[in-house]
Amino acid sequence: MLITDSQLHVWGANTPQRPWPAGRERDAQRPYPISKETLLFEMDLAGVSRAILVPPSWEGDRNDLALEAARLYPDRFAVMGRVALQDPNARDLVAGWKEQPGMLGMRFTFHGQHYRHLLTDGSADWLWLAAERHGVPLMVLAPGSLDAIGRIAGRHPGLKLVIDHAGLRLREKAPEVLDDLPAVCALARHANVAVKASGLPSLSAQPYPFRDVHEIVRRLYDAFGPQRTFWGTDLTRMPCTYRECIDLFTRELGWLKGEDLARVMGLGVCAWLGWAV
């Protein structure tokens, strides 16, 4: 089975030669850099064939390390890159965005204090139209703002959107975290919206096999189907091993099997983003 992780981070050290935005050190998932070599080691150990690299927000809007990994290992890595929405020059980048080797689309975070306002103050309005026009898929992290994502999906039916981390609040645990699931599943009515069932172990209040989050997978699957439900980890934030993140889906969900399991575990996200298998 081709296993494709729909979200991994790679990042470098915060140095004078390559500085992060001020005050973002506390946002890093680990207090040390994560290299492409580290990820490849973890992927090989766990049996993960491919990964979508998502440049982390604490480094600012830069894609250099992720693109380098995709250039050196094109069969293992591809990128959903960042762009500064408020940069006047950003609009000129969309048309040729996917001409960058390894670049599949864009990813934006609208959950933190640094970026949440961009989803509602009009700063991003130009992006939806431009990405739709040029066929650039978007991944969005927007817990608590799912109504806004629904409006965007309805106005731009040709824009492919992927909801990150099941659309749920990252700092809550089951069972309370499931309260937002109806709003997430309601987005499935838009054929241009898919969802990443990623990072679920971090939402569990239990040890492996994380039975209190099994319902999340089932409800997302029932709403979006196997073609629009994507497994993923955000590994550097997980409270468990990489193998346990995989086994949660491949061993513990007896109802998910065969071709549908293969789609959820990798074929679906590759097809959605246009990463040829």
Side-chain angles (χ1 to χ4, degrees):
M1 182 165 54
L2 180 83
I3 298 180
T4 302
D5 196 330
S6 62
Q7 175 156 335
L8 289 181
H9 290 312
V10 60
W11 69 88
N14 183 12
T15 65
Q17 294 74 32
R18 194 175 177 278
W20 298 1
R24 299 308 301 273
E25 294 91 343
R26 63 181 178 272
D27 297 330
Q29 292 175 352
R30 297 191 183 181
Y32 48 82
I34 296 293
S35 69
K36 58 187 178 300
E37 291 81 12
T38 297
L39 293 184
L40 285 171
F41 175 81
E42 295 282 1
M43 291 165 63
D44 289 343
L45 198 63
V48 175
S49 307
R50 294 173 152 195
I52 309 294
L53 295 179
V54 178
S57 60
W58 54 86
E59 279 204 318
D61 296 303
R62 60 169 82 227
N63 305 304
D64 54 337
L65 297 184
L67 285 172
E68 179 188 48
R71 177 178 61 82
L72 294 175
Y73 302 98
D75 295 331
R76 306 299 301 277
F77 295 125
V79 183
M80 294 293 286
R82 300 185 66 88
V83 67
L85 287 173
Q86 294 172 305
D87 182 349
N89 298 318
R91 305 180 186 217
D92 299 329
L93 301 176
V94 180
W97 190 253
K98 293 197 296 182
E99 294 174 7
Q100 302 172 83
M103 189 69 84
L104 299 178
M106 296 178 173
R107 195 257 185 162
F108 299 94
T109 50
F110 296 112
H111 67 303
Q113 60 177 332
H114 305 283
Y115 301 104
R116 184 182 296 113
H117 67 95
L118 300 176
L119 192 60
T120 56
D121 68 3
S123 299
D125 288 353
W126 66 268
L127 172 68
W128 320 125
L129 181 61
E132 180 182 32
R133 178 180 298 149
H134 297 289
V136 178
L138 305 181
M139 287 182 174
V140 292
L141 179 60
S145 302
L146 298 172
D147 54 343
I149 299 301
R151 289 192 294 271
I152 293 164
R155 293 170 184 162
H156 302 278
L159 172 63
K160 282 189 171 182
L161 291 164
V162 182
I163 308 302
D164 284 1
H165 301 328
L168 304 177
R169 300 175 192 271
L170 302 183
R171 292 178 174 83
E172 294 189 6
K173 299 286 185 182
E176 290 78 13
V177 74
L178 277 71
D179 291 347
D180 287 341
L181 259 184
V184 179
C185 293
L187 293 174
R189 70 180 183 274
H190 301 286
N192 57 324
V193 177
V195 64
K196 287 157 61 175
S198 53
L200 298 190
S202 69
L203 305 180
S204 176
Q206 301 176 2
Y208 180 86
F210 317 117
R211 297 190 188 280
D212 54 350
V213 298
H214 289 196
E215 180 185 349
I216 296 176
V217 186
R218 179 83 237 195
R219 290 170 66 178
L220 293 176
Y221 174 92
D222 288 345
F224 290 89
Q227 293 89 354
R228 293 191 287 150
T229 304
F230 311 141
W231 171 82
T233 66
D234 201 7
L235 180 63
T236 43
R237 193 172 54 84
M238 292 303 99
C240 60
T241 68
Y242 210 172
R243 189 67 238 177
E244 286 173 330
C245 291
I246 296 169
D247 288 348
L248 169 61
F249 280 66
T250 60
R251 292 179 179 268
E252 303 299 336
L253 306 178
W255 52 269
L256 184 58
K257 59 186 68 175
E259 292 183 2
D260 287 350
L261 176 62
R263 292 189 184 98
V264 170
M265 294 303 295
L267 292 178
V269 70
C270 289
W272 187 266
L273 299 178
W275 192 3
V277 175

